[in-house]
Amino acid sequence: RQQPMPEYKLPDPGEGLTEAEIVSWKVKVGDTVKINDVVVEVETAKSLVELPSPFAGTVTAILVEEGETVEVGTPIIAIGDAAEPPAPAEPAAPAEPAAKSGAEPSEGEEAPMKTLVGYGPRTAEAKRRPRKGSVTPSSEAGAATQMQVQGAFSPGGAQSQAVVEADEPAVPAHSARSGSEPASGSSPEGNVQVLAKPPVRKLAKDLGVDLRQVTPTGPNGTVTRADVEGFGSAAEPAPEAEPAPAAAPARAGEREWREPIKGVRKMMGQSMVQSAFTAPHVTEWVTVDVTKTMKYVEKLRSHRDFRDVKVSPLLVLARACILAARRTPEVNATWDDAAGEVVFKNYVNLGIAAATPRGLVVPNVKDADQMSMVELAKAINALAATAREGRTQPSAMSGGSFTITNVGVFGVDAGTPIINPGESAIMAFGAVRKQPWVHKDRIKVRSVTTLALSFDHRLVDGEKGSRFLADVAAILEDPANALMF
């Protein structure tokens, strides 16, 4: 009797998340994988996560298609003995969920082995979303734009990750299956059958390109990667220079379109609503002459210790907030309503808000108060690189104690930021501008910025919030003042 193929069930990617979307498969049926080889990339409510294989062998079946959302514990891929040939793929019946397309476990099968990143508590069927560009006449072509959390460290600056074409058959655009043959029968009115390989189809989805409008140049009328890129560059305006954020792509011939609220954007929306309506926000502003800070940044850039490190005024602000929190620890504390306590922290996990096409993420530098300026600069740069690549892990976004949001990269002077849940304050850093300024009783051109501090008035009263803001402003006005903290 043939042994059932081991099935890899979607693990809990971290932080107790219950579901994830299959973004892209890194393997295909017939590939040989080793333990810890990355097999799939999934999007959770917090970030993109690459999942390694807990088995070694040959991929015998892909059980869940790209774009589907499945619950933790759902079988997503079957991996057999490397010596055994892969079982022929069978097309899934339209009414059957994707999670059922693999081999059924036999009675008495051993409990699933734990993966390297945990495993789910229950098995559930895949929840299939309606596919845009499907046989439904009213549906629109193309799915919601998929990007890799490549937002710039400061809000904006999305970049598309390169898509490597696999040696896979092209599939028709209106087919819900990943089979290699075009679906028989005529297409509904308004839907044109388009052949394209899965990587090309994903690229078109990333760029917001309607495959039905692309002129194919590949064999047998197949849309190629070059066709999609050529159409995208001709149909869309040139992207804005960093760090401007990637806007939703305009779609030719459409007056409006929809994108599903999911993943990071969904979690961000829920968190912001919860914070805004549970913590009484107060915001204070101060305008600061930061001419000396700008000169200090230039000196750091030329220093040998910072030769290979990116240095910006944000680094000085980060250090200033860490130092000022020593005199006003309430801004780095947490209001524990359930316990009826204020939790003071003898550490600073400094969060940096990053606005990405997937939504707002706030990764944080752990124990930033224990770092030197060089170490802090390197940590911030590493955090930025990880965020741009869409590889920020859930653990990097938990446990934050104070947050900075850099709205100045958009040319914005100030705002009223919403406190990150679980924290008590957030600092908005405005644009640094050359302005007329009264300096030593004379009007001069100086570098000026505005700081805005939002704080939870339950534990940070007006006096404490004002003192903290004034301390930060004093350091930015003259970095030498940091020696007094």
Side-chain angles (χ1 to χ4, degrees):
R1 181 180 177 182
Q2 187 178 8
Q3 294 295 323
M5 298 297 180
E7 293 179 340
Y8 180 21
K9 298 183 179 181
L10 179 68
D12 177 1
E15 301 298 309
L17 301 173
T18 60
E19 66 180 18
E21 177 187 345
I22 305 298
V23 174
S24 64
W25 285 103
K26 306 302 182 183
V27 296
K28 59 182 181 295
V29 173
D31 284 354
T32 300
V33 297
K34 302 186 294 294
I35 293 177
N36 287 343
D37 281 355
V38 174
V39 294
V40 66
E41 184 178 51
V42 301
E43 181 186 8
T44 70
K46 294 190 175 183
S47 65
L48 287 176
V49 179
E50 290 182 337
L51 299 181
S53 171
F55 308 110
T58 301
V59 177
T60 60
I62 301 294
L63 307 180
V64 181
E65 296 180 9
E66 293 180 359
E68 292 183 358
T69 297
V70 295
E71 293 188 359
V72 167
T74 301
I76 58 176
I77 186 174
I79 300 175
D81 192 323
E84 298 179 6
E90 298 181 2
E96 290 292 325
K100 293 292 184 181
S101 60
E104 293 292 332
S106 61
E107 184 177 355
E109 183 181 357
E110 295 182 1
M113 68 178 293
K114 294 184 179 181
T115 70
L116 299 178
V117 289
Y119 68 103
R122 64 185 183 278
T123 299
E125 296 181 354
K127 297 185 289 185
R128 189 185 299 275
R129 288 198 189 95
R131 289 177 175 265
K132 295 192 176 184
S134 65
V135 295
T136 307
S138 61
S139 63
E140 300 293 338
T145 303
Q146 296 286 346
M147 297 188 179
Q148 315 298 324
V149 193
Q150 296 106 347
F153 166 71
S154 301
Q159 302 171 356
S160 296
Q161 188 177 20
V163 179
V164 180
E165 292 192 20
D167 187 16
E168 299 181 36
V171 296
H174 69 274
S175 174
R177 297 187 294 268
S178 59
S180 58
E181 298 84 7
S184 60
S186 60
S187 301
E189 183 178 354
N191 278 338
V192 180
Q193 178 175 309
V194 179
L195 294 178
K197 293 182 179 180
V200 176
R201 193 172 308 287
K202 183 177 184 299
L203 175 63
K205 185 163 60 174
D206 289 348
L207 298 178
V209 172
D210 184 351
L211 285 175
R212 297 174 300 179
Q213 300 179 10
V214 179
T215 302
T217 62
N220 301 319
T222 300
V223 176
T224 66
R225 179 182 180 85
D227 296 336
V228 173
E229 291 175 337
F231 181 88
S233 61
E236 297 183 8
E240 298 180 12
E242 289 189 9
R251 300 178 183 177
E254 298 182 19
R255 289 174 60 84
E256 61 180 44
W257 63 90
R258 293 173 178 262
E259 290 184 356
I261 302 172
K262 61 181 181 180
V264 174
R265 179 171 288 141
K266 181 177 180 180
M267 177 65 72
M268 179 265 295
Q270 293 172 345
S271 297
M272 292 299 97
V273 170
Q274 177 187 3
S275 176
F277 291 96
T278 56
H281 284 57
V282 173
T283 304
E284 294 184 344
W285 294 265
V286 63
T287 303
V288 189
D289 177 358
V290 292
T291 304
K292 290 185 178 181
T293 284
M294 301 305 290
K295 292 179 180 179
Y296 179 55
V297 168
E298 290 301 322
K299 288 182 179 180
L300 289 179
R301 288 171 178 167
S302 62
H303 195 280
R304 64 177 182 274
D305 291 345
F306 291 85
R307 187 173 303 156
D308 299 322
V309 182
K310 181 180 178 181
V311 180
S312 73
L314 180 65
L315 174 61
V316 182
L317 175 63
R319 171 63 72 183
C321 290
I322 292 170
L323 295 176
R326 295 177 181 175
R327 300 213 303 190
T328 312
E330 288 82 1
V331 301
N332 192 54
T334 299
W335 179 276
D336 189 341
D337 200 37
E341 298 172 338
V342 174
V343 182
F344 289 92
K345 301 167 185 176
N346 198 25
Y347 59 87
V348 178
N349 287 349
L350 183 64
I352 306 292
T356 75
R358 292 177 179 269
L360 181 70
V361 296
V362 189
N364 61 80
V365 178
K366 308 296 185 185
D367 296 316
D369 57 308
Q370 301 298 316
M371 297 180 177
S372 66
M373 285 286 282
V374 174
E375 292 171 337
L376 182 59
K378 291 180 178 179
I380 291 176
N381 289 341
L383 181 150
T386 303
R388 290 192 188 99
E389 295 170 0
R391 299 291 177 258
T392 303
Q393 298 299 305
S395 59
M397 292 183 283
S398 63
S401 59
F402 182 86
T403 295
I404 297 173
T405 177
N406 189 1
V407 299
V409 294
F410 300 120
V412 174
D413 294 325
T416 54
I418 297 178
I419 302 167
N420 198 35
E423 300 175 13
S424 63
I426 180 172
M427 178 75 78
F429 187 21
V432 178
R433 303 182 186 277
K434 294 285 189 180
Q435 296 182 12
W437 190 264
V438 178
H439 178 68
K440 296 181 179 179
D441 295 329
R442 297 181 62 182
I443 298 178
K444 297 182 180 180
V445 176
R446 307 285 288 180
S447 296
V448 178
T449 191
T450 299
L451 304 176
L453 178 71
S454 291
F455 51 89
D456 185 341
H457 213 305
R458 292 176 298 180
L459 69 160
V460 182
D461 59 30
E463 183 270 336
K464 291 183 174 63
S466 300
R467 183 173 63 184
F468 175 80
L469 188 59
D471 285 345
V472 173
I475 296 175
L476 289 184
E477 193 169 49
D478 186 355
N481 288 329
L483 296 175
M484 299 187 298
F485 288 83

